[in-house]
Amino acid sequence: MDLEEYRRQAREWLAANAPRDTPQDASQDAPQDLEGGAGSDPGGGVAVAREFMARLYDAGYSGITWPKEWGGQGLTQAEERAFAAEAAAHTLPTYVFSIGLGMCGPTLVDLGTDSQRRRFIRPLLRGEEIWCQLFSEPAAGSDVAALQTRATATDGGWVVDGQKVWTSVAQHADWGLLLARTDVDVPKHKGLTMLIVDMHAPGVTVRPLRDMTGRAHFNEIFFDGVHIPAENVVGRVGDGWSCAVTTLLHERLSISSGVGMGGQKDNPVAFEALRRSADTADPVVRDRLVELHIRSRALALFNQRLAQETRAGVFPGARGSAAKLLLAELTMFQADLATSLAGPGAVAWDEDDDAGGRLAHALSLAPAMALGGGTNEIMRNIVGERVLNLPPEPRTDKNVPFKDLRTSGEAAR
Ligand SMILES: Cc1cc2nc3c(=O)[nH]c(=O)nc-3n(C[C@H](O)[C@H](O)[C@H](O)COP(=O)(O)OP(=O)(O)OC[C@H]3O[C@@H](n4cnc5c(N)ncnc54)[C@H](O)[C@@H]3O)c2cc1C
């Protein structure tokens, strides 16, 4: 189909099916509808999101560039960009699927077995199943290879014991992409395996954690003798680190392009409302708004280039970390600007002032962008070492068996 016609049809479909990007409608995508206990959905937001994803998929707009044989549309980046350009005027209620669409799904497309792709990709794209990413632990965030959750071989599969934390949307998840330690006799990066875990399996406990926005964006998860069948290994046993690097690459690209973490959806609406109320005749205010626009546009173009390279088979590698770092810095720039423009209105607003509440939410969420998906310091380390070829940090534990590391403690033995 001609691209103009594709875009016209997308515009029509969105007009009929998606909420407009107005301050009122933005709440439909906001995480407040998704908080609550494990499996609960008090605001009905998850049910609305699932139903919307099914319609999006059936209309041919979910997984636009994903391979057709696994349930995607098999179209090109041109169609994806055309749809995104039209969708920018709306707030699509897809936040709860952001981890699956941005990280877990692309990892399965790259590394999964055919039966895994056949089983999991279509339900993910159609919103029938929600995914979470189970990497970080209380003592393994930046240094995720130091994780201690153990998967022990058993008849027909693995038994998992341990704890994860910071797990976004896990209170609603059906499946999780888990990184676990399967061998403590080798150095920390070599004894890991990636597994698909059923979040409804016996022994999985999900506890939502409330952050400073007052909402539960992430959770802590406990695994207590959880059985995972052998066919749920992603990649090879012991090769979990290279699988995790693939996921992290997708994570950084998806966050910087606004798919992962869902954060970008909330912000433009709040900041747009603020821009309207700010004194744009003031040359200083104008100057800062122009800088915001230039930085946003430059990042969008950088993301577009990385996405084009990826589709063309050129691995963007550590430059994805540069894009993620730029987004985190842009988000803080926006937040500082908004705070200085709004003054006391950034922290106090009338109960019936929806825009004020949304602005406060966006401002308290802004620092999370510098943590989730890897901190700014870690992104700078990666860019320094792998893009600029600066000398690497000393790594004294690289060749030491995990069980002999002081940080691994008793749990590793
Ligand atoms: C909103 C949000 C959502 C998240 N969602 C998920 C999720 O779905 N799944 C998941 O697995 N994880 C998730 N995370 C976890 C996230 O990946 C970690 O928070 C992050 O990697 C940092 O780890 P940490 O919090 O343990 O901090 P630490 O690693 O303890 O770091 C503490 C501080 O030390 C600095 N630091 C550490 N090492 C170095 C170094 N070598 N050089 C310089 N500075 C260093 C860090 O930059 C940071 O400032 C999420 C986090 C947030 C905030």
Side-chain angles (χ1 to χ4, degrees), residues 95 99 103 131-144 164-170 177 211 217-219 248 251-252 255 261 324 365 367-381 385 393-395:
Y95 168 78
I99 305 289
M103 301 155 212
W131 282 73
C132 65
Q133 176 208 23
L134 299 150
F135 286 14
S136 303
E137 296 185 3
S142 299
D143 186 11
V144 76
K164 296 286 171 181
V165 75
W166 298 103
T167 319
S168 303
V169 305
L177 205 56
D211 60 39
H217 293 96
F218 41 69
N219 304 262
L248 293 173
E251 175 168 24
R252 282 154 200 169
I255 290 175
M261 287 179 75
K324 200 267 161 180
L365 204 55
M369 198 55 87
L371 302 173
T375 66
N376 285 7
E377 292 75 24
I378 296 302
M379 294 306 107
R380 285 201 177 86
N381 279 353
E385 291 180 18
E393 280 200 346
R395 293 188 176 91

Side-chain angles (χ1 to χ4, degrees), residues 207-220:
R207 291 197 195 140
L209 296 169
R210 215 160 277 278
D211 60 39
M212 74 172 167
T213 65
R215 298 167 189 164
H217 293 96
F218 41 69
N219 304 262
E220 57 182 348

Side-chain angles (χ1 to χ4, degrees), residues 40-336:
S40 74
D41 184 16
V46 176
V48 169
R50 281 185 194 272
E51 193 268 332
F52 177 80
M53 276 302 285
R55 271 188 289 134
L56 190 73
Y57 182 85
D58 294 344
Y61 298 122
S62 173
I64 293 173
T65 57
W66 296 42
K68 216 174 176 123
E69 57 187 322
W70 312 125
Q73 303 300 328
L75 295 174
T76 69
Q77 252 239 310
E79 279 86 3
E80 187 163 76
R81 270 208 310 281
F83 182 78
E86 291 301 326
H90 301 263
T91 298
L92 309 188
T94 52
Y95 168 78
V96 77
F97 303 106
S98 54
I99 305 289
L101 294 172
M103 301 155 212
C104 306
T107 304
L108 292 181
V109 169
D110 286 352
L111 305 172
T113 61
D114 282 359
S115 70
Q116 287 169 350
R117 293 165 173 148
R118 209 170 294 117
R119 163 64 187 82
F120 293 114
I121 301 293
R122 187 183 303 271
L124 162 66
L125 290 176
R126 207 170 174 275
E128 289 160 14
E129 293 178 340
I130 296 169
W131 282 73
C132 65
Q133 176 208 23
L134 299 150
F135 286 14
S136 303
E137 296 185 3
S142 299
D143 186 11
V144 76
L147 63 84
Q148 298 193 18
T149 293
R150 290 288 298 272
T152 313
T154 180
D155 267 359
W158 302 86
V159 171
V160 175
D161 292 279
Q163 184 194 349
K164 296 286 171 181
V165 75
W166 298 103
T167 319
S168 303
V169 305
Q171 68 268 51
H172 306 293
D174 302 294
W175 298 97
L177 205 56
L178 170 75
L179 202 56
R181 188 161 304 281
T182 43
D183 188 349
V184 295
D185 293 321
V186 292
K188 63 181 182 179
H189 290 91
K190 297 194 171 150
L192 302 173
T193 299
M194 184 176 274
L195 298 146
I196 297 168
V197 58
D198 178 355
M199 295 299 287
H200 306 296
V204 178
T205 306
V206 179
R207 291 197 195 140
L209 296 169
R210 215 160 277 278
D211 60 39
M212 74 172 167
T213 65
R215 298 167 189 164
H217 293 96
F218 41 69
N219 304 262
E220 57 182 348
I221 320 287
F222 298 88
F223 295 100
D224 191 6
V226 177
H227 183 262
I228 298 183
E231 66 263 25
N232 283 14
V233 170
V234 179
R236 287 195 316 277
V237 172
D239 202 25
W241 181 249
S242 80
C243 299
V245 168
T246 298
T247 310
L248 293 173
L249 170 74
H250 286 298
E251 175 168 24
R252 282 154 200 169
L253 290 173
S254 77
I255 290 175
S256 64
S257 62
V259 178
M261 287 179 75
Q264 280 203 316
K265 276 284 165 202
D266 223 7
N267 287 350
V269 179
F271 291 119
E272 173 59 18
L274 184 69
R275 189 188 66 75
R276 279 195 210 126
S277 61
D279 177 9
T280 46
D282 179 336
V284 176
V285 171
R286 289 168 74 88
D287 200 44
R288 299 190 74 191
L289 288 171
V290 166
E291 184 178 346
L292 177 61
H293 175 73
I294 291 171
R295 288 173 68 163
S296 307
R297 188 79 191 113
L299 177 58
L301 290 172
F302 185 38
N303 277 320
Q304 195 172 310
R305 180 174 164 171
L306 294 180
Q308 272 167 345
E309 288 181 8
T310 310
R311 306 280 181 256
V314 179
F315 190 60
R319 286 175 305 145
S321 298
K324 200 267 161 180
L325 173 62
L326 288 171
L327 176 65
E329 291 192 328
L330 176 63
T331 306
M332 282 316 292
F333 178 83
Q334 275 184 323
D336 286 345

